[in-house]
Amino acid sequence: MSSPVPPGPETVARKHVPFVPEHMEMKEFTLRAVLLGLLMTVVLGAANAYLGLRAGITIAATYPAAVIAMAAMRAWKGSLLEENIARTAGSIGESVAAGAIFTLPAFLLAKAWPSFRFADAYWKSTALIMVGSILGVLFISLVRRAMVEDPELPFPESLAASEIHKAGQRGAQAAKYLFWNIGIGGVVYILGKFGLFAADTDLHFGVGSLGHTQVRLGSTGNTHVLPTGGTSVFAAPSVSPAYLGVGYIIGVRLASIQFAGSVIAWGLLVPLMIFFLGPQLKAYIPADTPDNWATMADAVWRYIVRPIAVGGMLVGAAYTLFRMRASLTAGIGKAFADLRQTADQQAKLARTERYMSSKAVFSLIAVMFVLMCVLYIKISGLFLPAILAAIVMILVGFFFATVSGNLVGFIGSSNNPISGLTLSTLLIAALLMVALGVSGTSGVAAVLGVAAVVCVSSAVAGELLQDFKVGYILGGTPQKIQAAELIAVVVASLVMYFPLMLLHEGNIRAGGVGFGGADLPAPQAGLMATLAMGIVGHDMPWPLVVVGILFGIAMIMMQVKSPMLVAVGMYLPFGTTFAIFVGGVIRSLGDWAADRRGFNSAQKARVENAGVLVASGLIAGEALLGLVWAGLQFVPQWGAPNHPPQIFSTPSYLVGGMIVLAGLTALMIFLPISAAGDPNEPAPPTAMM
């Protein structure tokens, strides 16, 4: 983030004008809005819990919640701000689910809990999730103002969600770009699931030649020769309307920074490791399955490159906070100053400036700290280490909640690397336990307890900041948004255990092993358990983390715009960041086409607005159908081995996938261009900020 430029004649910031004026009073925090939001948070959270345990990913619930809230409130003749409250409460379940699936199964996999049955796990799971969720709401409330009003944070998904709400208010002209593309995004996603085309593919390439290439460790004639060679892979861009839409909204500059991290991971580090490790890795590959080189490359990335990325994220997180020091200090200073604010003074504030009093926020943080101490003592059976773990959680939790909010401002909550932030927390907590001499199951339980609370806190903080930004754009009341989120996270925490328990126990009764098995691999939780046991058991690849830390420092010295985004790109799958980058390129091509046609500023503004609506629709469409598809997996006829019928038994990426990608590209370029209109019409407000 660059240093602020002193305002001059051409850089004076325009005062933000919300969609609903601050002086206008309308229905907002109503019983029907809250109840609708709570219903959505339970359903969308449960569906995401299933999807995350199966595939290791969750789908942003902001867009489905926005569309459902808009449809319901229009039928009930509700207001725009009621829609916003319902969406706010309805979307938070996905973040609570993400925090739960990334950490709770780790307790079982690490054997810190005897089972996941109600008596052994319900109260522990619920307490960890609830404490983390409430702290996430409180932490981000302290710095909300500084981050929401930061002009350098584009908040792509907040912008998309606000456009969904505004489209419903502006009539058919704006809504058609949104709703038609919700349908297109959903249809494209579901056709990929039914096998019309392959949405992903891996491309294999040789790195040297196994059995032939070598590196001579010395001058010519030296007998010290190292055998090398192997086969590596990289993924083509995922044919995903959602990823393309996110890339379109954040633009090619930020998408490029993130994609650069993936290029470093899969274009440099993985091939380099495969080149030198190839002869050793070959011993692990059965002779009749040459494609297992892809498995080896994935293992190199997951267990060698990702720890390096975690080290980079540690430095990137610290550097992000350092560069945000002025705005964060101002935000926290304002929170402390508000402690002296009287009820009369707060009542005189504009509606859009009213938020939960700092006295209430700090008091609740103190209460949560006491509850954490009790919780950690109960979980670990330790006293002093548990108290220190609670202190670490408060400090690290605030740190990463703020970083999570910053990342959401850049790339949206869908791509927020919560598991990476949690891994960083886990490293810190594990080192503390080792320094205190704690080992065994108690130490692992304490480490995972800290990680679980921070994971949920960071996920909720990022989602809430995204919701605050939507409210800021639409003109919602922050205080009512906070109240809706607090109610929703409590309800989500009380019920989130049940879908996890049903999936785990049901899989065991069906002959599986539950968490960690083929049907419920829970990859993030497995990694958390492995790292916690490895560090506490003195078996952790620290040199890799240190390499990542030094790499992060080097990026800072090279004045890389965002070292954190580069490290995140190394951590995320290549196909994901590649697709987001393609979305950014599509945006640039659309801008180039608008310039070539000689559009004036008013026409470009209309093209920009239509482009955001098109991208928002594609994101929402995939999210909606993705959740429907996840829900269908609960139906026995849809699950393995009774897989739903496929259009093609071996769908093609190079033919079908590329045709669909080309079609989405043309749609995202030429449909917005068609909205340019008459050059003599006045310019509308631009959607992009």
Coordinates of all heavy atoms in Angstrom, one line a residue, residues 583-671:
G583 N -9.2 -13.5 -15.6 CA -10.3 -12.6 -15.4 C -9.8 -11.1 -15.4 O -10.5 -10.2 -16.0
G584 N -8.6 -10.9 -14.8 CA -8.1 -9.5 -14.9 C -7.7 -9.1 -16.3 O -7.8 -8.0 -16.7
V585 N -7.1 -10.1 -17.0 CA -6.8 -9.8 -18.4 C -8.0 -9.5 -19.2 O -8.0 -8.6 -20.1 CB -6.0 -11.0 -19.0 CG1 -5.8 -10.8 -20.5 CG2 -4.7 -11.2 -18.3
I586 N -9.1 -10.2 -19.0 CA -10.3 -9.9 -19.7 C -10.8 -8.5 -19.5 O -11.2 -7.8 -20.4 CB -11.4 -10.9 -19.3 CG1 -11.1 -12.3 -19.8 CG2 -12.8 -10.5 -19.8 CD1 -12.0 -13.4 -19.3
R587 N -10.7 -8.1 -18.2 CA -11.0 -6.7 -17.9 C -10.2 -5.7 -18.7 O -10.7 -4.7 -19.2 CB -10.8 -6.5 -16.4 CG -10.9 -5.0 -15.9 CD -12.4 -4.6 -15.8 NE -12.5 -3.1 -15.5 CZ -12.4 -2.6 -14.3 NH1 -12.2 -3.4 -13.3 NH2 -12.5 -1.3 -14.1
S588 N -8.9 -6.0 -18.8 CA -8.0 -5.1 -19.5 C -8.4 -5.1 -21.0 O -8.3 -4.0 -21.7 CB -6.5 -5.5 -19.4 OG -6.1 -5.3 -18.0
L589 N -8.7 -6.2 -21.6 CA -9.1 -6.3 -23.0 C -10.4 -5.5 -23.2 O -10.6 -4.8 -24.2 CB -9.3 -7.8 -23.4 CG -8.1 -8.6 -23.5 CD1 -8.4 -10.1 -23.8 CD2 -7.2 -8.1 -24.6
G590 N -11.3 -5.6 -22.2 CA -12.6 -4.8 -22.3 C -12.3 -3.3 -22.3 O -12.9 -2.5 -23.1
D591 N -11.4 -2.9 -21.4 CA -11.0 -1.4 -21.4 C -10.3 -1.0 -22.7 O -10.5 0.1 -23.2 CB -10.0 -1.2 -20.2 CG -10.7 -1.4 -18.9 OD1 -11.9 -1.4 -18.8 OD2 -10.0 -1.6 -17.9
W592 N -9.5 -1.9 -23.2 CA -8.8 -1.6 -24.5 C -9.8 -1.5 -25.6 O -9.7 -0.6 -26.5 CB -7.8 -2.7 -24.8 CG -7.1 -2.6 -26.2 CD1 -6.1 -1.8 -26.5 CD2 -7.5 -3.3 -27.4 NE1 -5.8 -2.0 -27.8 CE2 -6.6 -2.9 -28.4 CE3 -8.5 -4.3 -27.7 CZ2 -6.7 -3.4 -29.7 CZ3 -8.6 -4.7 -29.0 CH2 -7.7 -4.3 -30.0
A593 N -10.8 -2.4 -25.7 CA -11.9 -2.3 -26.7 C -12.7 -1.0 -26.6 O -13.0 -0.4 -27.6 CB -12.8 -3.5 -26.6
A594 N -12.9 -0.6 -25.3 CA -13.7 0.7 -25.1 C -12.8 1.9 -25.7 O -13.4 2.8 -26.3 CB -14.0 0.9 -23.7
D595 N -11.5 1.9 -25.4 CA -10.7 2.9 -25.9 C -10.6 2.9 -27.5 O -10.7 4.0 -28.1 CB -9.3 2.8 -25.4 CG -9.2 3.1 -23.9 OD1 -10.0 3.9 -23.4 OD2 -8.3 2.6 -23.2
R596 N -10.5 1.7 -28.0 CA -10.5 1.6 -29.5 C -11.7 2.2 -30.2 O -11.7 2.7 -31.3 CB -10.3 0.2 -29.9 CG -8.9 -0.4 -29.6 CD -7.9 -0.1 -30.6 NE -8.2 -0.8 -31.9 CZ -7.5 -0.6 -33.0 NH1 -6.4 0.1 -33.0 NH2 -7.9 -1.3 -34.1
R597 N -12.9 2.1 -29.5 CA -14.1 2.6 -30.1 C -14.3 4.0 -29.8 O -15.4 4.6 -30.2 CB -15.3 1.7 -29.5 CG -15.2 0.3 -29.9 CD -16.4 -0.5 -29.5 NE -16.2 -1.9 -29.9 CZ -17.2 -2.8 -30.2 NH1 -18.5 -2.3 -30.2 NH2 -17.0 -4.0 -30.5
G598 N -13.4 4.6 -29.1 CA -13.5 6.1 -28.9 C -14.6 6.5 -27.9 O -15.1 7.6 -28.0
F599 N -14.9 5.7 -26.9 CA -15.9 6.0 -26.0 C -15.5 7.2 -25.1 O -14.3 7.3 -24.7 CB -16.3 4.8 -25.0 CG -17.0 3.7 -25.7 CD1 -17.0 2.4 -25.2 CD2 -17.7 3.9 -26.9 CE1 -17.7 1.4 -25.8 CE2 -18.3 2.9 -27.6 CZ -18.3 1.6 -27.0
N600 N -16.4 8.1 -24.8 CA -16.1 9.2 -23.8 C -16.3 8.7 -22.4 O -16.6 7.5 -22.1 CB -17.0 10.4 -24.1 CG -18.5 10.1 -23.9 OD1 -18.9 9.1 -23.2 ND2 -19.3 10.9 -24.5
S601 N -16.0 9.6 -21.4 CA -16.0 9.1 -20.0 C -17.4 8.6 -19.6 O -17.5 7.7 -18.8 CB -15.6 10.3 -19.1 OG -16.5 11.4 -19.3
A602 N -18.5 9.2 -20.1 CA -19.8 8.7 -19.7 C -20.0 7.3 -20.2 O -20.6 6.5 -19.5 CB -20.9 9.7 -20.2
Q603 N -19.7 7.1 -21.4 CA -19.8 5.7 -22.0 C -19.0 4.7 -21.2 O -19.4 3.6 -21.0 CB -19.5 5.7 -23.5 CG -20.5 6.5 -24.3 CD -20.1 6.6 -25.8 OE1 -19.0 7.1 -26.1 NE2 -20.9 6.0 -26.7
K604 N -17.7 5.1 -20.9 CA -16.9 4.2 -20.2 C -17.4 3.9 -18.8 O -17.3 2.7 -18.3 CB -15.5 4.8 -20.1 CG -14.7 4.8 -21.4 CD -13.3 5.4 -21.2 CE -12.5 5.4 -22.5 NZ -11.2 6.0 -22.3
A605 N -18.1 4.8 -18.2 CA -18.7 4.6 -16.9 C -19.8 3.6 -17.0 O -19.9 2.7 -16.1 CB -19.2 5.9 -16.3
R606 N -20.6 3.7 -18.0 CA -21.7 2.7 -18.2 C -21.1 1.3 -18.5 O -21.7 0.3 -18.0 CB -22.6 3.2 -19.3 CG -23.6 4.3 -18.9 CD -24.6 4.6 -19.9 NE -24.1 5.3 -21.1 CZ -23.9 6.7 -21.1 NH1 -24.4 7.4 -20.1 NH2 -23.4 7.3 -22.2
V607 N -20.1 1.3 -19.3 CA -19.4 0.0 -19.6 C -18.9 -0.6 -18.3 O -19.0 -1.8 -18.1 CB -18.3 0.2 -20.7 CG1 -17.5 -1.1 -20.8 CG2 -18.9 0.5 -22.0
E608 N -18.3 0.2 -17.5 CA -17.7 -0.3 -16.2 C -18.8 -0.8 -15.3 O -18.6 -1.9 -14.7 CB -17.0 0.9 -15.6 CG -16.1 0.6 -14.4 CD -15.4 1.8 -13.9 OE1 -14.3 2.1 -14.4 OE2 -15.9 2.4 -12.9
N609 N -19.9 -0.1 -15.2 CA -20.9 -0.6 -14.3 C -21.5 -1.9 -14.8 O -21.8 -2.8 -14.0 CB -22.1 0.5 -14.3 CG -21.7 1.7 -13.4 OD1 -20.7 1.7 -12.7 ND2 -22.4 2.7 -13.5
A610 N -21.7 -2.0 -16.1 CA -22.3 -3.2 -16.7 C -21.3 -4.4 -16.5 O -21.7 -5.5 -16.2 CB -22.6 -3.0 -18.2
G611 N -20.0 -4.1 -16.6 CA -19.0 -5.1 -16.5 C -19.0 -5.7 -15.0 O -18.9 -6.9 -14.8
V612 N -19.2 -4.8 -14.1 CA -19.2 -5.3 -12.7 C -20.5 -6.1 -12.4 O -20.4 -7.1 -11.7 CB -19.2 -4.0 -11.7 CG1 -19.5 -4.5 -10.3 CG2 -17.9 -3.3 -11.8
L613 N -21.6 -5.7 -13.0 CA -22.8 -6.5 -12.9 C -22.7 -7.9 -13.5 O -23.1 -8.9 -13.0 CB -24.0 -5.8 -13.4 CG -24.5 -4.6 -12.6 CD1 -25.5 -3.8 -13.4 CD2 -25.1 -5.0 -11.3
V614 N -22.1 -7.9 -14.7 CA -21.8 -9.2 -15.4 C -21.0 -10.1 -14.6 O -21.3 -11.3 -14.3 CB -21.2 -9.0 -16.8 CG1 -20.7 -10.3 -17.4 CG2 -22.2 -8.3 -17.7
A615 N -19.8 -9.6 -14.1 CA -18.9 -10.4 -13.2 C -19.6 -10.8 -11.9 O -19.5 -11.9 -11.5 CB -17.7 -9.6 -12.9
S616 N -20.4 -9.9 -11.3 CA -21.1 -10.2 -10.1 C -22.1 -11.4 -10.3 O -22.3 -12.3 -9.5 CB -21.8 -9.0 -9.6 OG -21.0 -7.9 -9.3
G617 N -22.8 -11.3 -11.5 CA -23.8 -12.4 -11.8 C -23.1 -13.7 -12.0 O -23.6 -14.7 -11.5
L618 N -21.9 -13.7 -12.7 CA -21.2 -15.0 -12.9 C -20.8 -15.6 -11.5 O -20.9 -16.8 -11.3 CB -20.0 -14.8 -13.8 CG -20.3 -14.4 -15.2 CD1 -19.1 -14.1 -16.0 CD2 -21.1 -15.5 -15.9
I619 N -20.3 -14.7 -10.6 CA -19.9 -15.2 -9.3 C -21.0 -15.8 -8.6 O -21.0 -16.9 -8.0 CB -19.2 -14.0 -8.5 CG1 -17.9 -13.6 -9.2 CG2 -19.0 -14.4 -7.1 CD1 -17.4 -12.3 -8.6
A620 N -22.1 -15.0 -8.5 CA -23.3 -15.4 -7.8 C -23.9 -16.7 -8.4 O -24.4 -17.6 -7.6 CB -24.4 -14.3 -7.8
G621 N -23.9 -16.8 -9.7 CA -24.5 -18.0 -10.3 C -23.7 -19.3 -10.0 O -24.3 -20.3 -9.6
E622 N -22.4 -19.2 -10.0 CA -21.6 -20.4 -9.6 C -21.8 -20.7 -8.2 O -21.9 -21.9 -7.7 CB -20.1 -20.3 -10.0 CG -19.3 -21.5 -9.5 CD -17.9 -21.4 -10.0 OE1 -17.6 -20.9 -11.0 OE2 -17.0 -22.0 -9.2
A623 N -21.8 -19.7 -7.3 CA -22.0 -19.9 -5.9 C -23.3 -20.6 -5.6 O -23.4 -21.5 -4.8 CB -21.8 -18.6 -5.1
L624 N -24.4 -20.1 -6.2 CA -25.7 -20.7 -5.9 C -25.8 -22.1 -6.4 O -26.2 -23.0 -5.6 CB -26.8 -19.9 -6.7 CG -27.2 -18.5 -6.1 CD1 -28.0 -17.7 -7.1 CD2 -28.0 -18.8 -4.8
L625 N -25.3 -22.4 -7.6 CA -25.4 -23.8 -8.1 C -24.4 -24.7 -7.4 O -24.6 -25.9 -7.3 CB -25.2 -23.8 -9.6 CG -26.5 -23.7 -10.4 CD1 -27.4 -25.0 -10.2 CD2 -27.3 -22.5 -10.0
G626 N -23.3 -24.1 -6.9 CA -22.3 -24.9 -6.2 C -22.9 -25.4 -4.9 O -22.6 -26.5 -4.5
L627 N -23.6 -24.5 -4.2 CA -24.3 -25.0 -3.0 C -25.4 -26.0 -3.3 O -25.6 -26.9 -2.5 CB -24.8 -23.7 -2.2 CG -23.7 -22.8 -1.7 CD1 -24.3 -21.5 -1.2 CD2 -23.0 -23.5 -0.5
V628 N -26.1 -25.8 -4.4 CA -27.2 -26.8 -4.7 C -26.5 -28.1 -5.0 O -27.0 -29.2 -4.5 CB -27.9 -26.3 -6.0 CG1 -28.8 -27.4 -6.5 CG2 -28.8 -25.1 -5.6
W629 N -25.4 -28.1 -5.7 CA -24.7 -29.3 -6.0 C -24.2 -30.0 -4.7 O -24.3 -31.2 -4.6 CB -23.5 -29.1 -6.9 CG -22.8 -30.3 -7.4 CD1 -21.6 -30.8 -6.8 CD2 -23.1 -31.2 -8.4 NE1 -21.2 -31.9 -7.4 CE2 -22.1 -32.2 -8.4 CE3 -24.1 -31.2 -9.4 CZ2 -22.1 -33.2 -9.4 CZ3 -24.1 -32.2 -10.3 CH2 -23.1 -33.2 -10.3
A630 N -23.7 -29.2 -3.8 CA -23.2 -29.7 -2.5 C -24.4 -30.4 -1.8 O -24.2 -31.4 -1.2 CB -22.6 -28.6 -1.7
G631 N -25.5 -29.7 -1.8 CA -26.7 -30.3 -1.1 C -27.2 -31.6 -1.7 O -27.6 -32.5 -1.0
L632 N -27.1 -31.7 -3.1 CA -27.5 -32.9 -3.7 C -26.7 -34.1 -3.3 O -27.1 -35.3 -3.5 CB -27.4 -32.7 -5.3 CG -28.5 -31.8 -5.9 CD1 -28.2 -31.6 -7.4 CD2 -29.9 -32.4 -5.7
Q633 N -25.4 -33.9 -2.9 CA -24.6 -35.0 -2.5 C -25.1 -35.7 -1.3 O -24.7 -36.8 -1.0 CB -23.2 -34.5 -2.2 CG -22.5 -33.7 -3.3 CD -22.7 -34.3 -4.7 OE1 -22.3 -35.5 -4.9 NE2 -23.3 -33.6 -5.6
F634 N -26.0 -35.1 -0.5 CA -26.7 -35.8 0.6 C -27.7 -36.8 0.2 O -28.1 -37.7 0.9 CB -27.4 -34.8 1.5 CG -26.4 -33.9 2.3 CD1 -26.1 -32.6 1.9 CD2 -25.8 -34.4 3.5 CE1 -25.2 -31.8 2.6 CE2 -25.0 -33.6 4.2 CZ -24.6 -32.3 3.8
V635 N -28.1 -36.7 -1.1 CA -29.1 -37.7 -1.6 C -28.3 -38.9 -2.1 O -27.4 -38.8 -2.9 CB -29.9 -37.1 -2.8 CG1 -30.9 -38.1 -3.4 CG2 -30.5 -35.8 -2.4
P636 N -28.7 -40.1 -1.6 CA -27.9 -41.3 -1.9 C -27.7 -41.6 -3.4 O -26.7 -42.0 -3.8 CB -28.8 -42.4 -1.2 CG -29.5 -41.8 -0.1 CD -29.8 -40.4 -0.6
Q637 N -28.8 -41.3 -4.2 CA -28.7 -41.6 -5.6 C -27.6 -40.7 -6.3 O -27.2 -41.0 -7.4 CB -30.0 -41.3 -6.3 CG -31.1 -42.3 -5.9 CD -31.8 -41.9 -4.6 OE1 -31.4 -41.1 -3.9 NE2 -32.9 -42.6 -4.3
W638 N -27.2 -39.6 -5.6 CA -26.3 -38.7 -6.3 C -24.8 -39.0 -5.8 O -23.9 -38.5 -6.4 CB -26.6 -37.2 -6.0 CG -27.8 -36.8 -6.8 CD1 -29.1 -37.1 -6.6 CD2 -27.7 -35.9 -7.9 NE1 -29.9 -36.5 -7.5 CE2 -29.1 -35.7 -8.3 CE3 -26.7 -35.2 -8.6 CZ2 -29.4 -35.0 -9.4 CZ3 -27.1 -34.4 -9.7 CH2 -28.4 -34.3 -10.1
G639 N -24.7 -39.7 -4.7 CA -23.3 -39.9 -4.2 C -22.7 -41.1 -4.9 O -23.3 -42.0 -5.5
A640 N -21.4 -41.3 -4.6 CA -20.7 -42.5 -5.1 C -21.2 -43.7 -4.4 O -21.6 -43.7 -3.2 CB -19.2 -42.3 -4.9
P641 N -21.3 -44.9 -5.1 CA -20.9 -45.1 -6.5 C -22.0 -44.7 -7.5 O -21.8 -44.9 -8.7 CB -20.6 -46.6 -6.5 CG -21.6 -47.2 -5.6 CD -21.7 -46.2 -4.4
N642 N -23.1 -44.3 -7.0 CA -24.2 -43.9 -7.9 C -24.1 -42.5 -8.4 O -24.9 -41.6 -8.2 CB -25.6 -44.1 -7.2 CG -25.8 -45.5 -6.6 OD1 -25.5 -46.4 -7.3 ND2 -26.2 -45.5 -5.4
H643 N -23.0 -42.2 -9.1 CA -22.7 -40.9 -9.5 C -23.7 -40.5 -10.6 O -24.1 -41.3 -11.4 CB -21.3 -40.8 -10.1 CG -20.7 -39.4 -10.2 ND1 -21.1 -38.6 -11.2 CD2 -19.9 -38.8 -9.4 CE1 -20.4 -37.4 -11.1 NE2 -19.7 -37.5 -10.0
P644 N -24.2 -39.2 -10.6 CA -25.1 -38.8 -11.6 C -24.6 -39.0 -13.0 O -23.4 -39.0 -13.2 CB -25.3 -37.3 -11.3 CG -24.2 -36.9 -10.5 CD -23.8 -38.1 -9.7
P645 N -25.4 -39.2 -14.0 CA -25.0 -39.5 -15.3 C -24.1 -38.4 -15.9 O -24.4 -37.2 -15.6 CB -26.3 -39.7 -16.1 CG -27.3 -38.9 -15.3 CD -26.9 -39.1 -13.9
Q646 N -23.1 -38.7 -16.7 CA -22.2 -37.8 -17.3 C -22.5 -37.7 -18.8 O -22.8 -38.7 -19.5 CB -20.8 -38.2 -17.1 CG -20.3 -38.3 -15.6 CD -20.1 -36.9 -15.1 OE1 -19.1 -36.2 -15.4 NE2 -21.0 -36.4 -14.3
I647 N -22.5 -36.4 -19.3 CA -22.7 -36.2 -20.7 C -21.6 -36.9 -21.6 O -21.9 -37.6 -22.5 CB -22.8 -34.7 -21.1 CG1 -24.0 -34.1 -20.3 CG2 -22.9 -34.5 -22.6 CD1 -24.0 -32.6 -20.4
F648 N -20.4 -36.7 -21.1 CA -19.2 -37.4 -21.7 C -18.5 -38.1 -20.6 O -18.3 -37.6 -19.6 CB -18.3 -36.4 -22.4 CG -18.9 -35.7 -23.6 CD1 -19.1 -34.3 -23.6 CD2 -19.2 -36.4 -24.8 CE1 -19.7 -33.7 -24.6 CE2 -19.8 -35.7 -25.8 CZ -20.0 -34.4 -25.8
S649 N -18.1 -39.4 -20.9 CA -17.4 -40.2 -19.9 C -16.0 -39.6 -19.6 O -15.5 -39.6 -18.5 CB -17.3 -41.6 -20.3 OG -16.7 -41.7 -21.6
T650 N -15.4 -39.0 -20.6 CA -14.1 -38.4 -20.5 C -14.2 -37.0 -21.1 O -13.8 -36.7 -22.2 CB -13.0 -39.2 -21.1 OG1 -13.3 -39.4 -22.5 CG2 -12.8 -40.5 -20.4
P651 N -14.8 -36.0 -20.3 CA -14.9 -34.7 -20.9 C -13.6 -34.0 -21.2 O -12.6 -34.3 -20.5 CB -15.7 -33.9 -19.7 CG -15.4 -34.7 -18.5 CD -15.3 -36.1 -18.9
S652 N -13.6 -33.2 -22.2 CA -12.3 -32.6 -22.7 C -12.2 -31.2 -22.2 O -13.1 -30.4 -22.1 CB -12.3 -32.6 -24.2 OG -11.3 -31.8 -24.7
Y653 N -11.0 -30.8 -21.8 CA -10.6 -29.5 -21.4 C -10.2 -28.7 -22.7 O -10.6 -27.6 -22.9 CB -9.5 -29.4 -20.4 CG -9.1 -28.0 -20.0 CD1 -9.8 -27.4 -18.9 CD2 -8.1 -27.3 -20.6 CE1 -9.4 -26.1 -18.5 CE2 -7.8 -26.0 -20.3 CZ -8.4 -25.4 -19.2 OH -8.1 -24.1 -18.9
L654 N -9.3 -29.3 -23.5 CA -8.7 -28.6 -24.6 C -9.8 -28.2 -25.6 O -9.6 -27.3 -26.4 CB -7.6 -29.4 -25.2 CG -6.4 -29.6 -24.3 CD1 -5.3 -30.5 -25.0 CD2 -5.7 -28.3 -24.0
V655 N -10.8 -29.0 -25.7 CA -11.9 -28.7 -26.7 C -13.1 -28.0 -26.0 O -13.3 -26.8 -26.1 CB -12.4 -29.9 -27.5 CG1 -13.5 -29.6 -28.4 CG2 -11.2 -30.6 -28.2
G656 N -13.8 -28.8 -25.1 CA -14.9 -28.2 -24.4 C -14.6 -27.1 -23.5 O -15.2 -26.1 -23.5
G657 N -13.6 -27.3 -22.6 CA -13.2 -26.3 -21.6 C -12.8 -25.0 -22.3 O -13.2 -23.9 -21.8
M658 N -12.0 -25.1 -23.3 CA -11.5 -23.9 -23.9 C -12.6 -23.1 -24.7 O -12.6 -21.9 -24.8 CB -10.3 -24.2 -24.9 CG -9.1 -24.7 -24.2 SD -8.5 -23.6 -22.9 CE -7.9 -22.2 -23.9
I659 N -13.5 -23.9 -25.3 CA -14.7 -23.2 -25.9 C -15.5 -22.5 -24.9 O -15.9 -21.3 -25.2 CB -15.5 -24.3 -26.7 CG1 -14.8 -24.8 -27.9 CG2 -16.9 -23.7 -27.1 CD1 -15.5 -26.0 -28.6
V660 N -15.8 -23.1 -23.8 CA -16.5 -22.4 -22.7 C -15.8 -21.2 -22.2 O -16.3 -20.1 -22.0 CB -16.8 -23.4 -21.6 CG1 -17.5 -22.6 -20.4 CG2 -17.7 -24.5 -22.0
L661 N -14.5 -21.3 -22.0 CA -13.6 -20.2 -21.6 C -13.7 -19.0 -22.6 O -13.8 -17.9 -22.2 CB -12.2 -20.7 -21.3 CG -11.2 -19.6 -20.7 CD1 -11.7 -19.2 -19.3 CD2 -9.8 -20.2 -20.6
A662 N -13.6 -19.4 -23.9 CA -13.6 -18.4 -24.9 C -15.0 -17.7 -24.9 O -15.1 -16.5 -25.1 CB -13.4 -19.0 -26.3
G663 N -16.1 -18.5 -24.7 CA -17.4 -17.9 -24.7 C -17.6 -16.9 -23.5 O -18.2 -15.9 -23.6
L664 N -17.1 -17.3 -22.3 CA -17.2 -16.4 -21.1 C -16.4 -15.2 -21.4 O -16.8 -14.1 -21.0 CB -16.7 -17.2 -19.9 CG -17.6 -18.3 -19.4 CD1 -16.9 -19.1 -18.3 CD2 -18.9 -17.7 -18.8
T665 N -15.2 -15.3 -22.0 CA -14.4 -14.1 -22.3 C -15.1 -13.2 -23.2 O -15.2 -11.9 -23.0 CB -13.1 -14.6 -23.0 OG1 -12.3 -15.4 -22.1 CG2 -12.2 -13.4 -23.4
A666 N -15.7 -13.7 -24.3 CA -16.5 -12.8 -25.2 C -17.7 -12.2 -24.5 O -17.9 -11.0 -24.7 CB -17.0 -13.7 -26.4
L667 N -18.3 -12.9 -23.6 CA -19.5 -12.4 -22.9 C -19.0 -11.2 -22.0 O -19.7 -10.1 -22.0 CB -20.1 -13.5 -22.0 CG -21.2 -13.0 -21.0 CD1 -22.5 -12.8 -21.8 CD2 -21.4 -14.1 -20.0
M668 N -17.9 -11.4 -21.3 CA -17.4 -10.4 -20.3 C -16.8 -9.2 -21.0 O -16.7 -8.1 -20.4 CB -16.4 -11.0 -19.4 CG -17.0 -12.1 -18.5 SD -15.8 -13.1 -17.5 CE -15.4 -11.9 -16.3
I669 N -16.5 -9.3 -22.3 CA -15.9 -8.1 -23.0 C -17.1 -7.4 -23.7 O -17.2 -6.2 -23.6 CB -14.9 -8.5 -24.0 CG1 -13.6 -9.0 -23.3 CG2 -14.5 -7.4 -24.9 CD1 -12.5 -9.6 -24.2
F670 N -17.9 -8.1 -24.5 CA -18.8 -7.5 -25.4 C -20.1 -7.1 -24.8 O -20.8 -6.1 -25.3 CB -19.0 -8.3 -26.7 CG -17.7 -8.5 -27.5 CD1 -17.0 -9.7 -27.6 CD2 -17.1 -7.4 -28.1 CE1 -15.9 -9.8 -28.3 CE2 -16.0 -7.5 -28.9 CZ -15.3 -8.7 -28.9
L671 N -20.6 -7.8 -23.8 CA -21.9 -7.5 -23.2 C -21.7 -6.1 -22.5 O -22.6 -5.2 -22.7 CB -22.3 -8.5 -22.2 CG -23.7 -8.3 -21.6 CD1 -24.8 -8.2 -22.7 CD2 -24.1 -9.5 -20.7

